[in-house]
Every structure is written in structure tokens, then in C-alpha cells.
Amino acid sequence: MEVQRYVWEGAIPLQIHLHESEVTTLPSPPPALFLAPRIGYLPLLIPLIKPHFAATLPPGIDTVWFDYKGLPLKWYIPTGVLFDLLCAEPERPWNLTVHFRGYPNNLLIPCEGEDSVKWNFINSLKEADYIISGNCKNVMHMSQPDQVELWNSVMNGNLEAYLRASSKLKFGIIEDEYTMKMDLRSQKSRKTTGEADMGGQMKTGKIPVRLYIWSVSEDFEDLEDMPKIDSWDKISYINRPIEIYREEGRCFTLHDALKTLIPEFLTDKSLIDEESFRVEGEDEQLVLSEEVSSNKMAAEGREISCQSVESSCTSGAAEIKLVRIQGIEPKLEIPFSWVVNNLKNPEHFLHICVCLKFAQVNSYDR
Amino acid sequence: MDVSCWDGTLSLNEFSRAARTFAEKWKIGNSAFPPWLWVNVPKRPFVASQQVDGFLSLENICLIRPSKVCGAEVSHLEEEETGFSEKEVAIDDATLVLSNHHEMHYYDFHIVYSASYRVPVLYFRGYYSDGCPLQLNEIEKDLPACSAKVLLESKWTFITQEEHPYLNRPWYKLHPCGTSEWMKLLFLGEAALAEKRVAIELYLVSWFSVVGQVIGLRIPIEMMNDRTN
């Protein structure tokens, strides 16, 4: 899977600064530069980061955490998602502050290094398993060595090893309507009634999705001018599966998918935009070229007519300003099944960052 | 709905109905305790509005170290019963405040619906009277003795520390992955005695009869016996 490879090779350049309160030497150490895998997690970088700052740290036990402009970062959110969410205008490199002391226990769940990240990953995988197949048996019955292999493949960003290890999970991939219909057309002349024409793809109705929404009250010319997110309370996090509804002659698009979770919005601007897949320059190895995507879409567009999205909803109080998945801003008419199969994270969740603009100012205090 | 083809889960709307029933029966049958309150999820105007989003909350409950054991003898209890002096000696050097009296532990419990597992999940946190949070090893001491064992072995009562789905703070939760299975068994057992249908509004009552025991909040018999709506 070409696209999956690009996603796995995608990385965010980080510039890590040690928090000034923890600098005990002069001159203060220079920031450390790293490429953080999109599908990885910040705590996994700690063994690489620590040597840069070890000499200057005050004595004591390390409890490592990161912040971006003062906002403590939730370590269990994949790095790429944090970046897509918190940097409206992608910052290159992304400047983060690392702390080795003063873990904000009242805000962040504790992290004991790789083990915490691994168990969080496995639990998310179990949750995805439950959503897709109705129970956690696929994951629970995975042998210890297979689980280790799966986790290591994620840590090392090794897609081949991951595909090998996760094939034992028997999740299958979402029935991709385009591929299926193209197969059927070519098979029309031959009678293959006995064969499952899904070609090994499983029919699943429920997709594990994690939606991160932030809202603005006005239009911004430049993404840079958007108010920064200084508290997690400003982000609505929706962890709810999306159910795919299949209608005859019509594909279930990304727009349809979002609508099931956030139904009250007007026309979405990205339909009017000319750009298709926009490449974010900072993802050095994520080269999802426009030719690749538009050729694919054009070819499949001939086969199936994809009904264009309705232009407006009734009571729309909000407007979609931005939808980001793996650093990409996809067109909303793209079939949701394609988005899921290609852009999901290794724990089988699709993480979507959305910016909504409201007609009036909404403030919600907790 | 026939019990035999039920999968042990419930929808969000069924959850809010069951929550209402649970809270009502609790008030009637458990008047010594404060009532469970329904809390609406903080306003998110753009979320699918047909969903009634909220959770049940019971807060500031003092769980005094249980004097009764729920069953067999457990050897480590004997150590705990030697009294306060041992407790004081064991206090961490880093603690600046030494209390002369038995430290009270307070707990907040939230019953939250999980859209992924389609079951209720118990979230809880413990703290001292000054609001300082309790660590898991301290919480474990407040739990019924058999829970400590079961917790280690059984996956469906596994406690994890996770972020509260709505409050952006770390809470503990009882992992829900086996819930639908044992709920189905529970209802099957009850159906053998009474009707074949699933009285979904009683879901939380049954659910809590199991989960409550894990954390030491016992459900009175009166709540369980009353099968009428």
C-alpha cells in the first residue's frame, strides 16, 4: 500500500528545548533536533533526548513531559495528531519544551516510559477490535511474541513487520467500494459466483475514530493568526465509532462520516477549494503527490458516479474550516473507506482534526 | 428483546433511561447514601444533538477501611488490623503533615457510557480531605480484600488510569472489555427465573450489583428484588 508507506514514513521535525528552570549549567544547552515519526509517541523519543540534556539537569528523579507554548502535551496522542491539532499553521521545526521535573499529575496521566505507551497502544487496539468485531478476542488471543512483534514494528516504524504482525489480528480492511466495483466489472465476463468478490476484504460497519475539534469565532486570513490553543478544555474530543451507511449508487464519503458525528454545519469550504491533496512541506518523506491522488480519483470517478455533497444543511450553526488527517487536508467527497484504509494509525483508529467556525462566540467553561 | 439474542450491550439512549431507573431505586433503597446525580456533558453545540450525553455522579463518598471481609480470610488483613501506630510509622518521609487521627479517604464515582464498548464504565478517583489525590496503592487498601486478588487476576475488573472522557483530568477506571459478556450471563440467569425479555432499564442496577462490590459500594437487596418498573 503506497499511501500507507507515505504515512508511516511521515515525520515531524522537532526542536526540543529544555525548560529554563531545569538548566543548571552555563551556557544553556542548545536545543536538540529530531525527526519524530507521525505515528509514534513523544515519550518514545526520551532515550534519544535525554543524553542531550543529562549533563545540565538538576539532581533528582526524572519524570519527563513536554509542552508546546505552555500547554502540557498528552503523551498518548500520536505525535502527528498533536502537531496537526496544535499548529494551525505548521511550524517548521516544531518547537517543544521538555521537562524532566515537576510532572503535572493533576493534568496528565503518569507515563513510565515505553511500557506506559505500549499498554496504552494495546488498550487502544483492544478498543478498536471491540468496535470492529464486537469483542476483544482478536487482540486477547494474540500470542505474546506476536504482540511484541507488533509493538516493535510500531516503535521502529517498520511497515512490513507491522503488516505481517497485524495480519494475525484478522481485522481485515474496510470494504473499499471502488476496488470492489472495479473487480466486479472485470469479473463480469467470467462467472465467479463461488468466490467472495470482496477479495479478502471484510465488510465492517463500524470504524474506530477519534475526533479532535477546536472552534473559532471568526475567519482568519492566515492560519498563523488563529488563536492558539492554551488549554485542553478548548478542544472537544469525541471518541465514538462511525457507522458506515451504504446506499445504492452512492458512496459514503468523508463528509458523510463527519456528519454523523457533527451534523450541524453548513457548506464546508474545502468543497469549493481548488486544491485536492495538499502536501504539508514539513513532512519530508510524505510525498503524496497530486498526480497520484488525482489519477486514482479520476480513474475511479469514471467507474462510479460519486454523488456530490448537498450544499447546505438546515440549521447550520457552524462551518468546517479545516479537516486534517495525517497532515493532509483531504477533499470531503473522498470515499470514507479509502480514508480509513490508508490514513488510519497502527492501533486502527482514524484520528481526525477539525476546526469549526461558529456564527457566534461560544465559550464553554467547565 | 429476547435475552438469547442480546449481546449484553446497550445504546446511549438506553443508558440514560437505565441511569434514571438506577438513580431512583438507589434513592429509595439506599437512603443512607447521597443520591446519584445526572450530569450533562459540558455544552458542545455541534455534537449530534439527538444524543443525550451525560453521566451519573456520586461524589465525596467516604470509604472507611472495611471492617468486614467479603468472604474468606485473607492473611494480609491481619497486618492492617494492628492499628494506627503501624500506619503512622509507615508514613512516607516526604509527607510533612502527620495526622493524629485515622486519615479519611474520599471518593468520587462517575458512571460514564462508552460509545466504543456500548456499556457503562466506572470511573473513580480518591483523595484526602485536603484534596490531595490518592495513589493506586492507597486506593487498593480501601477496596474489599477479595477485590485486591481479583483485580490482579481478572481482566474485567482491571483498573487503569486514564483521562476522564469529559473532564480532561486523570481518573481511574474499571476496564470495560468483559462487561457485555458477564452482563449477558447475568441477565440470562435472571431470565431463567422470570421473563425472557431484557428489561434494559434495569441494566445499571444489575451492572452495579457486580461492579459496586469491586469498589466496596454494596447495593441493597431491596434494589435487586424489585423487578417492576
Side-chain angles (χ1 to χ4, degrees):
Chain A
M1 267 267 141
E2 277 302 296
V3 181
Q4 237 185 335
R5 181 172 308 284
Y6 291 135
V7 167
W8 273 63
E9 289 171 3
I12 318 287
L14 301 182
Q15 183 160 244
I16 313 261
H17 309 255
L18 180 62
H19 192 258
E20 56 196 5
S21 68
E22 297 175 22
V23 178
T24 62
T25 58
L26 278 175
S28 47
L33 295 161
F34 294 102
L35 269 183
R38 271 199 157 269
I39 53 152
Y41 302 85
L42 288 175
L44 298 179
L45 300 173
I46 294 169
L48 300 173
I49 295 172
K50 191 163 173 205
H52 280 259
F53 301 118
T56 186
L57 288 175
I61 302 170
D62 296 338
T63 48
V64 188
W65 57 287
F66 298 84
D67 84 70
Y68 174 57
K69 291 190 173 167
L71 180 74
L73 297 183
K74 297 186 181 183
W75 53 263
Y76 44 87
I77 297 181
T79 309
V81 179
L82 285 172
F83 183 68
D84 291 343
L85 184 61
L86 301 175
C87 277
E89 176 64 40
E91 194 182 290
R92 313 170 193 133
W94 194 24
N95 286 289
L96 298 182
T97 305
V98 69
H99 303 249
F100 287 81
R101 303 282 181 276
Y103 198 92
N105 278 304
N106 57 329
L107 294 172
L108 290 183
I109 43 183
C111 179
E112 280 138 47
E114 189 203 310
D115 265 350
S116 297
V117 185
K118 180 179 89 171
W119 285 111
N120 175 74
F121 175 84
I122 301 278
N123 277 330
S124 297
L125 194 62
K126 270 195 219 167
E127 191 180 339
D129 190 6
Y130 194 95
I131 291 167
I132 294 170
S133 51
N135 58 64
C136 300
K137 291 192 180 129
N138 285 317
V139 179
M140 305 287 272
H141 292 165
M142 228 186 168
S143 72
Q144 226 353 50
D146 283 340
Q147 269 195 23
V148 169
E149 205 192 312
L150 185 72
W151 173 243
N152 284 340
S153 72
V154 175
M155 273 211 299
N156 301 326
N158 185 339
L159 180 58
E160 280 78 22
Y162 172 78
L163 291 173
R164 252 196 329 268
S166 63
S167 65
K168 296 172 188 164
L169 273 175
K170 302 185 183 63
F171 275 12
I173 58 174
I174 313 309
E175 179 187 285
D176 189 332
E177 287 132 328
Y178 285 158
T179 318
M180 182 187 94
K181 292 214 171 163
M182 284 177 80
D183 281 347
L184 281 179
R185 277 180 73 97
S186 61
Q187 284 169 14
K188 237 182 194 170
S189 43
R190 323 174 242 138
K191 294 215 171 124
T192 50
T193 43
E195 241 176 75
D197 47 22
M198 304 298 160
Q201 294 167 340
M202 266 166 55
K203 214 180 175 118
T204 49
K206 279 207 183 146
I207 312 298
V209 170
R210 287 184 171 157
L211 190 61
Y212 309 82
I213 307 174
W214 82 100
S215 59
V216 293
S217 52
E218 46 183 294
D219 274 310
F220 290 93
E221 275 297 317
D222 265 313
L223 291 177
E224 264 171 6
D225 298 330
M226 273 198 184
K228 69 167 188 180
I229 294 166
D230 55 8
S231 157
W232 287 100
D233 291 339
K234 294 202 172 150
I235 294 178
S236 279
Y237 169 62
I238 299 180
N239 181 22
R240 191 181 300 165
I242 288 182
E243 191 129 18
I244 293 188
Y245 294 103
R246 298 174 204 280
E247 278 173 49
E248 204 46 56
R250 190 194 182 293
C251 61
F252 188 79
T253 62
L254 176 57
H255 182 282
D256 294 331
L258 288 177
K259 202 165 162 182
T260 65
L261 292 184
I262 46 172
E264 289 153 22
F265 52 79
L266 274 169
T267 50
D268 39 281
K269 288 219 136 189
S270 54
L271 285 180
I272 308 163
D273 279 349
E274 297 298 12
E275 296 172 293
S276 56
F277 279 88
R278 193 150 54 85
V279 178
E280 297 301 330
E282 84 292 347
D283 288 325
E284 298 185 356
Q285 286 140 319
L286 183 65
V287 185
L288 192 62
S289 68
E290 266 187 53
E291 289 96 58
V292 172
S293 57
S294 60
N295 276 345
K296 191 176 161 71
M297 290 307 297
E300 288 156 358
R302 277 198 296 276
E303 303 294 341
I304 298 132
S305 66
C306 196
Q307 186 184 342
S308 61
V309 182
E310 304 106 50
S311 55
S312 67
C313 295
T314 47
S315 65
E319 187 188 321
I320 293 181
K321 299 301 289 182
L322 199 65
V323 174
R324 258 192 209 145
I325 307 175
Q326 300 290 9
I328 300 163
E329 288 163 42
K331 271 191 147 174
L332 298 190
E333 317 92 87
I334 289 175
F336 186 59
S337 53
W338 190 93
V339 175
V340 174
N341 286 333
N342 290 286
L343 303 181
K344 69 184 170 201
N345 273 57
E347 78 285 8
H348 286 264
F349 269 88
L350 180 71
H351 300 253
I352 308 176
C353 299
V354 176
C355 178
L356 295 178
K357 190 196 108 180
F358 281 87
Q360 74 263 13
V361 174
N362 282 284
S363 61
Y364 25 94
D365 296 307
R366 291 195 191 184
Chain B
M1 174 184 10
D2 201 286
V3 177
S4 52
C5 44
W6 181 54
D7 65 358
T9 67
L10 78 176
S11 71
L12 178 57
N13 284 328
E14 289 169 336
F15 171 77
S16 44
R17 275 169 46 208
R20 227 185 337 266
T21 307
F22 175 75
E24 280 162 12
K25 287 183 179 290
W26 176 277
K27 219 191 270 189
I28 298 167
N30 220 357
S31 49
F33 267 90
W36 285 86
L37 301 172
W38 179 262
V39 178
N40 281 316
V41 163
K43 215 165 165 26
R44 287 187 303 202
F46 40 77
V47 171
S49 57
Q50 71 269 21
Q51 309 277 358
V52 176
D53 236 344
F55 54 90
L56 280 172
S57 161
L58 185 68
E59 297 189 353
N60 284 318
I61 300 301
C62 188
L63 281 191
I64 304 164
R65 185 87 45 89
S67 50
K68 289 185 274 193
V69 186
C70 52
E73 306 277 304
V74 181
S75 58
H76 76 256
L77 251 195
E78 289 172 335
E79 297 162 26
E80 291 179 359
E81 278 171 350
T82 53
F84 304 132
S85 53
E86 196 162 30
K87 186 179 178 343
E88 282 169 10
V89 165
I91 283 174
D92 188 354
D93 284 341
T95 310
L96 298 174
V97 176
L98 282 180
S99 57
N100 288 325
H101 53 82
H102 191 62
E103 259 292 357
M104 301 297 257
H105 293 172
Y106 294 87
Y107 285 84
D108 293 341
F109 299 100
H110 287 182
I111 302 178
V112 186
Y113 180 75
S114 162
S116 302
Y117 289 94
R118 292 176 47 87
V119 296
V121 182
L122 183 74
Y123 284 84
F124 63 95
R125 63 173 180 183
Y127 43 93
Y128 294 104
S129 43
D130 61 0
C132 275
L134 292 174
Q135 298 304 311
L136 186 58
N137 56 347
E138 292 159 319
I139 292 177
E140 267 180 73
K141 292 183 206 155
D142 285 333
L143 302 174
C146 22
S147 287
K149 265 198 197 161
V150 170
L151 278 170
L152 292 171
E153 298 156 17
S154 173
K155 62 178 193 266
W156 50 266
T157 51
F158 183 56
I159 293 180
T160 56
Q161 192 168 18
E162 281 186 29
E163 198 169 277
H164 191 288
Y166 303 114
L167 302 181
N168 273 328
R169 293 288 183 277
W171 280 59
Y172 289 97
K173 86 173 197 197
L174 291 189
H175 204 273
C177 75
T179 300
S180 61
E181 285 157 19
W182 54 257
M183 276 305 294
K184 179 158 183 166
L185 288 176
L186 254 187
F187 269 66
L188 273 173
E190 284 159 4
L193 303 168
E195 357 170 322
K196 291 282 176 206
R197 70 176 195 90
V198 177
I200 205 77
E201 61 275 7
L202 294 176
Y203 189 103
L204 275 180
V205 177
S206 301
W207 174 86
F208 197 80
S209 69
V210 177
V211 166
Q213 287 188 54
V214 174
I215 48 159
L217 279 183
R218 283 185 186 71
I219 206 168
I221 301 292
E222 295 75 31
M223 276 181 79
M224 289 304 297
N225 281 345
D226 180 14
R227 300 292 290 174
T228 56
N229 285 346

